[in-house]
Amino acid sequence: MHLENYHRLINELKPAGAKLVAVSKTKPVGDIRALYDEGQRIFGENKVQEMADKQLQLPADIQWHLIGHLQTNKVKYIAPFVSLIHSVDSLKLLAEIDKQAAKNGRIINCLLQIFIADEPTKFGLDEAELHQLLGSPEFKTFKNVSICGLMGMATNTEDLTKVETEFEHLKQIFEKVKAQYFSEQPIFKELSMGMSSDYKIALKHGATLIRVGSMLFGDRS
Ligand SMILES: *Cc1c(COP(=O)(O)O)cnc(C)c1O
């Protein structure tokens, strides 16, 4: 645990008006509890089962964010409690989230994950797929999901100029989509980008949520 990094990070986020998602994947509930005791309430996990297990063992006022790839058949396990799903990357997945949210009498907040990196392994929609999704008749029928913004991951590289270009690109997509589809929905306001290695760049380019793990909890082995 790096509590000194936590407090430094919180102070860095204040002037930017951004929020911290403390990424606790692979870390024990004791570590989450320690950060909770410092005042942190938003935690991010990338696996459904792990998040559901931890949720049962920790205070009910924690806001659980799913940041990893989500399979349609697993939505039901997190639908009762998840606070924000960052990783929506298909209409089919969104339809299932809508269905499970309705079953639970909830509206589930979602971000659409956009592919901005120069790596074949990362999930996400490209710009054409994003417009296809938002323009589809089915999308307009969803009553139990709320699209709160976009999420993206930059290429894992030392080349910070490249990372900066990718974050700026995502910011531009965000502004365009907001104007085109969400001009009357102020809830579309979140831009989730930046991790331990690149959150400073992300903040410079308009991130409202940063997802930081190893800088707070130490390396994952
Ligand atoms: C693990 C993870 C993070 C946090 O990465 P760190 O380098 O540990 O800060 C952020 N976003 C996603 C999607 C992740 O899977």
Side-chain angles (χ1 to χ4, degrees):
M1 290 296 295
H2 301 291
L3 293 182
E4 68 293 347
N5 283 352
Y6 174 69
H7 291 290
R8 188 162 46 79
L9 193 54
I10 292 297
N11 282 324
E12 273 181 271
L13 289 178
K14 262 184 210 145
K19 282 177 291 186
L20 169 66
V21 179
V23 177
S24 48
K25 63 189 185 194
T26 78
K27 299 295 176 182
V29 291
D31 285 10
I32 299 175
R33 186 80 215 198
L35 219 52
Y36 178 91
D37 289 341
E38 300 294 316
Q40 180 64 23
R41 289 296 177 271
I42 306 176
F43 290 89
E45 292 283 340
N46 69 336
K47 295 212 168 78
V48 162
Q49 190 60 54
E50 187 176 344
M51 187 164 92
D53 288 346
K54 287 173 170 172
Q55 191 264 340
L56 285 175
Q57 302 174 58
L58 285 157
D61 65 339
I62 287 181
Q63 295 160 40
W64 293 99
H65 287 202
L66 189 83
I67 59 169
H69 184 63
L70 177 58
Q71 286 173 290
T72 308
N73 62 350
K74 295 196 174 162
V75 173
K76 57 178 177 285
Y77 301 115
I78 57 167
F81 69 89
V82 68
S83 166
L84 180 65
I85 299 174
H86 289 231
S87 44
V88 176
D89 61 358
S90 73
L91 188 65
K92 181 171 160 252
L93 177 59
L94 199 58
E96 178 64 15
I97 297 169
D98 184 62
K99 182 176 144 195
Q100 295 297 333
K103 270 194 184 171
N104 286 277
R106 304 185 64 208
I107 290 175
I108 296 183
N109 294 325
C110 295
L111 305 180
L112 299 174
Q113 182 172 355
I114 310 304
F115 182 85
I116 52 169
D118 197 6
E119 291 167 322
T121 56
K122 298 228 164 110
F123 294 101
L125 302 154
D126 64 27
E127 242 185 299
E129 291 166 336
L130 174 64
H131 286 281
Q132 216 167 50
L133 189 157
L134 292 172
S136 76
E138 191 184 359
F139 175 69
K140 296 183 182 72
T141 67
F142 298 155
K143 300 272 186 292
N144 292 77
V145 290
S146 186
I147 305 297
C148 302
L150 305 180
M151 180 271 227
M153 279 171 95
T155 304
N156 183 10
T157 171
E158 309 271 280
D159 180 357
L160 295 183
T161 311
K162 186 176 179 63
V163 171
E164 184 146 29
T165 306
E166 290 172 356
F167 284 157
E168 182 52 31
H169 182 212
L170 183 57
K171 170 72 170 170
Q172 279 166 15
I173 298 173
F174 173 82
E175 293 300 346
K176 206 159 68 183
V177 162
K178 188 176 148 87
Q180 191 173 341
Y181 300 95
F182 297 97
S183 59
E184 277 151 41
Q185 292 168 254
I187 193 157
F188 188 92
K189 63 179 167 50
E190 305 291 1
L191 187 52
S192 167
M193 58 184 193
M195 329 200 314
S196 294
S197 58
D198 55 20
Y199 75 89
K200 282 180 203 280
I201 303 172
L203 288 174
K204 216 172 98 188
H205 290 275
T208 65
L209 289 167
I210 61 165
R211 310 177 308 269
V212 172
S214 49
M215 188 185 147
L216 303 171
F217 295 106
D219 287 337
R220 292 173 297 271
S221 44

